[in-house]
């Protein structure tokens, strides 16, 4: 689905599903963070983004009804920091999972209601099924709007690139399991945290799983050819197709793949050097 990806405009994607893009475009955020505004008479906001006053003003101005709830998919700095200020202005209830320890986590997010896998969040107009999807972040939640099959995916699935899996909070085993879990749901459209909606959800999820497993196969092949390799040595071989600017990020995902192989008992670490176990 192609839409206007300019920041600061309210775009109606479907009845009761509006999107406002925060003005934080960048290498990791694409056109900016997608803030979803659900409902017409009473409104739930998902992922209000970083603290940018003009964006928070627009959320309040353009929401079709009073903002009663603020939900977050996860607590990375481009998704949740605006919650505090938006909640102060609206009195809305804050929902999601608290930030885990570690870097790149928004500790200001303190939910009034902690959501868990399988919970149903209900308003007079719609229902959201809460799906716990660890992998990109351990506290990551997706929200499935039941009657229409719209799935709000945050950074579990984004449009335009693959997401970073940054250990230890990021975990490749969990990530793949969380993708598989979505294949059992009744999906029509993926509404990602960055980029346009994706109207072929199962194909998109399949592609991501395949792409990750292909990358893993490359890691295995490289370790087979060159046992006792360091991460930096592997990086050039396995992520040679990635732009240099993204190397530090690719290195985190490479580590996530190696930790998955270690978890499978297929690879082992000796000092700084990785090898296959057989
Ligand atoms: Zn994230």
């Amino acid at each position: 689905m192609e839409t206007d990806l300019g920041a600061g405009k309210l775009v109606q994607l479907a009845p009761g599903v509006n999107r406002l893009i925060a003005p934080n475009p960048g290498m990791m955020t694409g056109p900016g963070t997608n803030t979803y505004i659900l409902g017409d008479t009473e409104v739930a906001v998902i992922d209000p983004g970083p603290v940018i006053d003009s964006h928070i003003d627009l959320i309040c101005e353009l929401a079709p009804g009073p903002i009663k709830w603020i939900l977050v998919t996860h607590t990375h700095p481009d998704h949740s920091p605006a919650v505090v200020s938006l909640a102060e202005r609206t009195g809305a209830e804050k929902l999601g999972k608290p930030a885990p320890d570690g870097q790149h986590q928004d500790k200001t997010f303190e939910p009034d209601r902690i959501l868990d896998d399988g919970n149903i969040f209900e308003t007079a107009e719609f229902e959201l099924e809460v799906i716990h999807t660890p992998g990109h972040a351990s506290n990551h939640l997706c929200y499935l709007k039941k009657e229409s099959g719209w799935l709000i995916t945050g950074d579990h699935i984004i449009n335009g690139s693959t997401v970073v899996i940054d250990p230890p909070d990021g975990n490749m085993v969990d990530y793949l399991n969380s993708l598989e879990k979505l294949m059992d749901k009744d999906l029509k459209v993926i509404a990602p945290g960055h980029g346009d909606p994706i109207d072929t959800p199962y194909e998109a999820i399949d592609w991501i799983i395949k792409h990750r497993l292909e990358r893993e196969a490359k890691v295995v092949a490289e370790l087979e050819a060159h046992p006792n390799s360091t991460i930096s040595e592997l990086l050039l071989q396995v992520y040679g197709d990635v732009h240099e600017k993204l190397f530090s990020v690719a290195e985190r995902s490479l580590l996530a793949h190696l930790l998955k192989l270690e978890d499978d008992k297929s690879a082992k670490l000796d000092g700084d050097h990785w090898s296959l176990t057989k």
Side-chain angles (χ1 to χ4, degrees):
M1 193 181 293
E2 277 187 41
T3 65
D4 182 346
L5 288 169
K9 295 172 206 160
L10 190 75
V11 175
Q12 189 185 45
L13 301 168
V17 181
N18 288 286
R19 184 199 63 203
L20 184 66
I21 299 179
N24 64 333
M27 204 163 62
M28 304 306 294
T29 53
T33 302
N34 289 335
T35 297
Y36 290 98
I37 299 177
L38 305 184
D40 291 318
T41 53
E42 290 186 318
V43 166
V45 171
I46 302 182
D47 287 354
V51 179
I52 301 174
D53 287 339
S54 62
H55 184 61
I56 299 169
D57 288 347
L58 277 180
I59 296 173
C60 294
E61 244 169 65
L62 299 176
I67 297 169
K68 296 282 190 178
W69 308 275
I70 309 166
L71 294 83
V72 303
T73 56
H74 64 305
T75 46
H76 282 162
D78 55 330
H79 288 260
S80 62
V83 170
V84 172
S85 153
L86 187 60
E88 272 169 12
R89 285 173 60 162
T90 58
E93 188 186 12
K94 299 166 284 181
L95 301 92
K97 279 190 180 295
D101 287 330
Q103 272 192 313
H104 311 304
Q105 288 291 346
D106 166 31
K107 288 287 188 182
T108 69
F109 177 71
E110 290 173 351
D112 301 310
R113 206 192 316 174
I114 294 176
L115 296 174
D116 285 310
D117 189 60
N119 286 169
I120 302 291
F121 167 81
E122 210 178 343
T123 79
E125 288 171 83
F126 61 89
E127 278 185 6
L128 296 179
E129 180 186 343
V130 178
I131 308 170
H132 185 212
T133 49
H136 169 74
S138 61
N139 67 343
H140 199 290
L141 300 172
C142 290
Y143 299 106
L144 176 58
K145 197 161 179 276
K146 293 294 272 183
E147 68 280 19
S148 65
W150 276 68
L151 180 71
I152 315 283
T153 56
D155 281 351
H156 185 50
I157 298 170
I158 62 175
N159 193 349
S161 72
T162 54
V163 303
V164 181
I165 309 297
D166 184 8
D169 194 58
N171 181 299
M172 193 65 77
V173 177
D174 290 347
Y175 186 63
L176 290 168
N177 288 338
S178 294
L179 288 168
E180 292 283 357
K181 189 172 176 179
L182 295 180
M183 294 299 267
D184 298 332
K185 306 288 178 185
D186 201 357
L187 311 178
K188 294 281 185 301
V189 181
I190 288 172
H194 305 274
D196 264 331
I198 301 167
D199 39 26
T200 51
Y202 300 105
E203 287 88 337
I205 295 167
D206 247 352
W207 183 87
I208 298 169
I209 294 171
K210 223 176 108 217
H211 174 79
R212 296 290 177 167
L213 293 177
E214 275 169 15
R215 193 71 81 177
E216 180 180 305
K218 267 185 155 182
V219 177
V220 171
E222 191 51 33
L223 285 174
E224 208 151 39
H226 303 285
N228 274 310
S229 291
T230 63
I231 288 230
S232 336
E233 286 163 353
L234 289 167
L235 185 66
L236 286 173
Q237 301 304 324
V238 178
Y239 285 85
D241 57 323
V242 164
H243 195 282
E244 248 174 77
K245 274 194 200 156
L246 288 170
F247 269 7
S248 61
V249 171
E251 189 173 310
R252 302 309 298 168
S253 288
L254 173 58
L255 176 62
H257 278 296
L258 288 164
L259 292 172
K260 175 178 178 292
L261 290 169
E262 191 181 38
D263 191 77
D264 295 345
K265 309 258 182 288
S266 307
K268 59 177 192 298
L269 179 63
D270 184 9
D272 290 335
H273 294 77
W274 288 89
S275 296
L276 295 178
T277 49
K278 47 185 180 302

